[in-house]
Amino acid sequence: MSARTEALRPPARRYDYVADGPAIYVDSFATIRREADLSLVPADAEKLAVRMVHGSGQVDLVPDLVIHPRLVVAARTALASGAPVLCDARMVAMGVTASRLPAGNEVLCHLTDPEVPELARRWRTTRTAAAVSLWEPRLEGAVVAIGNAPTALFHLLETILAGGPRPAAVIGCPVGFIGARESKEALASFGTDHGIDLPFVTVRGRRGGSAMASSAVNALAQEQE
Amino acid sequence: MSARTEALRPPARRYDYVADGPAIYVDSFATIRREADLSLVPADAEKLAVRMVHGSGQVDLVPDLVIHPRLVVAARTALASGAPVLCDARMVAMGVTASRLPAGNEVLCHLTDPEVPELARRWRTTRTAAAVSLWEPRLEGAVVAIGNAPTALFHLLETILAGGPRPAAVIGCPVGFIGARESKEALASFGTDHGIDLPFVTVRGRRGGSAMASSAVNALAQEQE
């Protein structure tokens, strides 16, 4: 204890609440399992769905989840062999619990790299999309986590269609009102549309976000809850 | 341009989407204003509600928002005079757009400070709650942004009830299944229950999260969208 904290006292308890971190997790997951219809998801993706619901606070997320049948195996195998986690936003990277990753995996986000603004201008795209191209040297076999920008997801799919490197698994959960739904539909139908088998998880509609994307990474990182 | 990026080429466009960052914001906000019933929020909080909806991807968030009538004025005044933004989670801090802050305001999160685990053990509470006590030297007149932990919000209210420093405004948006709803109800009824007038914004129910909390900070930081 430092001098700063030695003198600190907690305020008196005035409310009745659970203040035990692990117990809160256990109770949360139990509540989700009571309320959500998890029969809709692949058997090996049950914990993934629970954790994504947990991150969003909404059990009605489950019917909107679309999970490729090989997603969990593909992502677990990649992470176990040391694949990096490539994130579109720093909030996604920040939400990944490093201690859950099985191989000290790197968690990378290039959005604030100095070259990004100029690339985005030259290519007439968003900075988030331009930053996806900086993934290329690490993209083959990586786990991608997109929680913010529809343009990042479109840019990734276009990179793959152009013959670029293929990630092992894509967590594609951009959020919002312009392009989010469409980018996730493009991901969900990517195999059918283009004959390229790309393991993915996404959520139909406008919902998504960095918490959902990092929750998915945290679920895929370990079998243990 | 570095050598690394000089050689990079963008993939060919294969999808039809808006890839102009500012245009995406404008279109998103216009969509929200078309679809959401903003007559429910205080007039000066319209942009705040729009940005919180934007961060969540859900226009049906609006009926669950509870906004103290003096929230916007209190938060704007505090930020303009240099108040720090105190965050319960690093994802919240990461989501704050520094360039929108009017006075180079500090954005602080103490969750990973070295003393926190020991404080949490001693006080039998969560690390997130214990970290709230480390705000105390900066808490008077600050803007608080809670996007993760119900225990942080309860701990803050208990600190105030114990006669501790009072923030200028509280963005109270913890998410989840255990305590989130109850902590936000406690915030919403704090003035009535305890006769302490505390400007706040919250969202009833389980929804919330770091994106919602940082969206609120970003809206309160500037009048300009």
Side-chain angles (χ1 to χ4, degrees), chain B residues 122-152:
Chain B
R122 258 204 293 163
W123 295 354
R124 293 184 188 167
T125 190
T126 64
R127 284 182 295 140
T128 326
V132 165
S133 282
L134 299 183
W135 292 346
E136 286 194 25
R138 306 295 301 277
L139 184 56
E140 185 76 35
V143 172
V144 164
I146 295 175
N148 182 31
T151 54

Side-chain angles (χ1 to χ4, degrees), chain B residues 73-161:
Chain B
V73 168
R76 287 247 161 88
T77 305
L79 291 173
S81 71
V85 180
L86 306 177
C87 307
D88 71 327
R90 291 188 300 162
M91 283 179 79
V92 176
M94 190 60 87
V96 174
T97 305
S99 62
R100 289 185 62 83
L101 293 168
N105 310 249
E106 283 182 274
V107 180
L108 303 170
C109 173
H110 289 301
L111 183 55
T112 55
D113 284 16
E115 306 93 333
V116 169
E118 169 62 15
L119 276 183
R121 263 192 304 275
R122 258 204 293 163
W123 295 354
R124 293 184 188 167
T125 190
T126 64
R127 284 182 295 140
T128 326
V132 165
S133 282
L134 299 183
W135 292 346
E136 286 194 25
R138 306 295 301 277
L139 184 56
E140 185 76 35
V143 172
V144 164
I146 295 175
N148 182 31
T151 54
L153 181 50
F154 278 127
H155 194 94
L156 171 69
L157 298 181
E158 288 169 340
T159 298
I160 296 168
L161 289 173

Side-chain angles (χ1 to χ4, degrees), chain A residues 8 25 31 71 76 106 108 118 146 156 194 204 221:
Chain A
L8 273 178
Y25 267 92
T31 303
L71 181 266
R76 288 247 160 89
E106 282 182 274
L108 303 170
E118 169 63 14
I146 295 175
L156 171 69
H194 303 289
R204 291 192 192 278

Side-chain angles (χ1 to χ4, degrees), chain A residues 19-45:
Chain A
D20 174 55
I24 293 169
Y25 267 92
V26 168
D27 291 356
S28 297
F29 293 154
T31 303
I32 293 165
R33 289 194 164 92
R34 255 194 324 271
E35 293 188 19
D37 182 3
L38 294 161
S39 68
L40 300 164
V41 302
D44 71 350

Side-chain angles (χ1 to χ4, degrees), chain B:
Chain B
M1 287 285 105
S2 65
R4 168 170 80 132
T5 51
E6 193 59 55
L8 273 180
R9 297 288 172 271
R13 278 287 171 88
R14 300 287 294 264
Y15 297 98
D16 181 25
Y17 59 97
V18 185
D20 175 56
I24 293 170
Y25 266 93
V26 169
D27 291 356
S28 297
F29 293 153
T31 303
I32 293 165
R33 291 196 163 91
R34 257 195 321 273
E35 295 188 18
D37 182 3
L38 295 161
S39 68
L40 301 164
V41 301
D44 72 350
E46 195 256 10
K47 288 178 180 172
L48 169 67
V50 167
R51 212 171 253 266
M52 291 177 79
V53 166
H54 182 246
S56 74
Q58 298 168 74
V59 293
D60 72 357
L61 190 76
V62 178
D64 289 341
L65 290 176
V66 191
I67 305 175
H68 183 286
R70 282 199 311 108
L71 180 268
V72 175
V73 168
R76 287 247 161 88
T77 305
L79 291 173
S81 71
V85 180
L86 306 177
C87 307
D88 71 327
R90 291 188 300 162
M91 283 179 79
V92 176
M94 190 60 87
V96 174
T97 305
S99 62
R100 289 185 62 83
L101 293 168
N105 310 249
E106 283 182 274
V107 180
L108 303 170
C109 173
H110 289 301
L111 183 55
T112 55
D113 284 16
E115 306 93 333
V116 169
E118 169 62 15
L119 276 183
R121 263 192 304 275
R122 258 204 293 163
W123 295 354
R124 293 184 188 167
T125 190
T126 64
R127 284 182 295 140
T128 326
V132 165
S133 282
L134 299 183
W135 292 346
E136 286 194 25
R138 306 295 301 277
L139 184 56
E140 185 76 35
V143 172
V144 164
I146 295 175
N148 182 31
T151 54
L153 181 50
F154 278 127
H155 194 94
L156 171 69
L157 298 181
E158 288 169 340
T159 298
I160 296 168
L161 289 173
R166 291 189 190 175
V170 176
I171 297 159
C173 301
V175 59
F177 297 87
I178 302 298
R181 181 173 55 74
E182 295 81 355
S183 70
K184 292 180 287 188
E185 295 295 338
L187 175 62
S189 65
F190 194 71
T192 313
D193 294 347
H194 303 287
I196 298 174
D197 188 39
L198 183 70
F200 69 89
V201 52
T202 190
V203 50
R204 292 193 192 277
R206 290 168 169 176
R207 288 188 289 187
S210 44
M212 214 175 286
S214 55
S215 294
V217 175
N218 290 334
L220 293 167
Q222 283 197 12
E223 174 67 23
Q224 204 198 325
E225 292 202 311

